[in-house]
Amino acid sequence: MTSIDIRDLRVDYGDFTAVHDLTLQVPAGEVFGIVGPNGAGKTSTFRVLASLSRPTYGEVRLAGIDAIEDKENARRLIGYMPDLAPVPRDLKCGEFLRFYARAHGLGNAKECAKRADECLEQVALTDHKNHWCHKLSRGQTQRLVLAKTMLHRPKVLILDEPASGLDPLARRDLRQTLRNLTAEGATIFISSHILTELAEMCTSLCVMSRGRLLASGTVEEVRRQLGDDSRRLTVTPLQALSAVPEWLSNLPGVAAAFIEQEQLAIDFLGDDDAQASVLEEFLRRGLRIRSFQEKRSSYEEILIDVAEKSRAQV
């Protein structure tokens, strides 16, 4: 079942187009990430999904409900967490959540307090229940706003940069919280400008730049679509090599080879089967290998390349 269905979405601000004809489908129960540099169109997309902005044209359906034309029913399904959402200065954390629980109509005072406590526990803020909201750290504030977003058990959570300001331990806790939510049937649409962050959290993701969709799929599918398929193979033989074996350059996928710090470095353009054949050929020729390593473009290198290409088009 498709939980989030975006078709031909376009968002214009005067003469500037923030989102160019975006089409995406997200199955129910997924943690789906949207990543891209600043100005990629992530927040504009989220505001349309959260029914806070009307697009120039296009369709958005959340669990089958038209989020553009039927905002009232769509909003009952949504939990929206904007980037760096403010919190009140005159409320404590527990009071803040109980206030929103009552606003969502989650029952009487006792029932609202119980739900507030559950959400504080889910984001590891139980000990801060009686702390003033404005005295929380940035990371704690992010977790409190996430707790507020979860109160009414939304079917679709739209989280804009939720890991901003979180330390590694808090990011680990966030990943577990997201897994728990999807296990309960929620679908999560989450953004970040840090690809490694989303790679750790998401079951699938997409990459946007200057309002356009560049790639989508699993993390590895996105890597293949955006990253240069080349890789560096480093072979460390037990016996020293004085020169690159002549036969190596004739193997499929080998673009270049050279000796580097007593290792054999190979720039490789072939697929996984061809790479396996390289190792098999070394063994067939009796060369004993101590290590055989592969290095591909990192997630951050891929995103930096996207950002630089985007900047060059300005």
Side-chain angles (χ1 to χ4, degrees):
M1 175 183 174
T2 300
S3 184
I4 301 172
D5 191 356
I6 304 171
R7 297 183 185 271
D8 302 318
L9 180 66
R10 183 182 178 102
V11 179
D12 293 321
Y13 301 108
D15 294 333
F16 173 70
T17 300
V19 181
H20 292 260
D21 301 328
L22 176 65
T23 295
L24 276 176
Q25 285 78 45
V26 180
E30 287 228 14
V31 181
F32 188 92
I34 179 170
V35 66
N38 292 336
K42 304 186 299 293
T43 296
S44 293
T45 300
F46 276 23
R47 287 184 60 83
V48 172
L49 263 65
S51 74
L52 298 176
S53 296
R54 190 173 183 88
T56 305
Y57 59 74
E59 298 178 16
V60 175
R61 304 188 77 83
L62 303 176
I65 295 175
D66 190 326
I68 298 172
E69 301 301 333
D70 192 1
K71 292 182 180 180
E72 184 175 345
N73 283 318
R75 285 174 177 170
R76 292 192 178 99
L77 304 174
I78 298 171
Y80 175 51
M81 178 180 172
D83 185 20
L84 298 178
V87 294
R89 296 187 58 85
D90 57 349
L91 289 177
K92 296 179 180 178
C93 295
E95 294 171 336
F96 174 63
L97 294 187
R98 290 195 296 272
F99 170 81
Y100 273 94
R102 293 300 296 271
H104 282 297
L106 300 184
N108 58 33
K110 183 177 179 180
E111 291 166 332
C112 288
K114 181 177 182 233
R115 181 57 183 157
D117 289 346
E118 290 172 350
C119 290
L120 282 172
E121 183 178 0
Q122 281 187 276
V123 299
L125 281 179
T126 299
D127 292 344
H128 292 72
K129 177 179 177 178
N130 294 314
H131 289 201
W132 294 103
C133 292
H134 73 278
K135 291 190 175 181
L136 298 177
S137 68
R138 180 178 174 183
Q140 290 168 341
T141 300
Q142 289 288 88
R143 287 150 58 192
L144 179 64
V145 176
L146 177 59
K148 176 196 69 92
T149 306
M150 295 159 38
L151 279 167
H152 59 298
R153 296 183 175 86
K155 290 185 178 180
V156 177
L157 284 93
I158 303 167
L159 311 179
D160 198 355
E161 301 277 359
S164 175
L166 299 187
D167 60 31
L169 182 60
R171 284 201 298 272
R172 184 202 66 184
D173 292 341
L174 175 61
R175 288 196 298 272
Q176 187 57 52
T177 299
L178 298 184
R179 293 189 190 103
N180 293 341
L181 290 169
T182 55
E184 295 172 1
T187 302
I188 299 171
F189 204 32
I190 181 173
S191 81
S192 177
H193 62 282
I194 303 174
L195 185 50
T196 49
E197 208 167 65
L198 289 190
E200 295 171 349
M201 296 182 185
C202 298
T203 51
S204 54
L205 54 85
C206 71
V207 177
M208 291 182 67
S209 179
R210 293 175 60 81
R212 300 184 185 277
L213 179 67
L214 301 184
S216 66
T218 65
V219 173
E220 284 306 313
E221 286 170 346
V222 166
R223 181 202 284 276
R224 287 196 295 271
Q225 291 172 48
L226 287 182
D228 186 345
D229 199 37
S230 66
R231 65 201 84 168
R232 171 67 58 84
L233 306 179
T234 303
V235 181
T236 307
L238 283 176
Q239 62 270 50
L241 293 177
S242 58
V244 176
E246 292 184 8
W247 52 263
L248 185 59
S249 61
N250 295 322
L251 294 181
V254 175
F258 49 93
I259 303 295
E260 183 178 69
Q261 298 179 349
E262 300 183 353
Q263 294 178 317
L264 178 60
I266 304 170
D267 289 335
F268 193 73
L269 299 175
D271 59 18
D272 290 344
D273 286 338
Q275 180 173 316
S277 296
V278 171
L279 179 57
E280 289 170 354
E281 188 65 18
F282 271 97
L283 300 177
R284 192 181 72 80
R285 291 176 179 268
L287 290 171
R288 300 179 67 200
I289 303 300
R290 183 165 63 84
S291 70
F292 187 89
Q293 298 176 316
E294 171 195 83
K295 183 179 184 299
R296 301 190 188 215
S297 300
S298 71
Y299 297 122
E300 289 313 302
E301 288 170 337
I302 293 171
L303 190 56
I304 288 170
D305 184 55
V306 169
E308 288 178 343
K309 289 178 180 176
S310 174
R311 189 180 303 160
Q313 294 172 0
V314 175

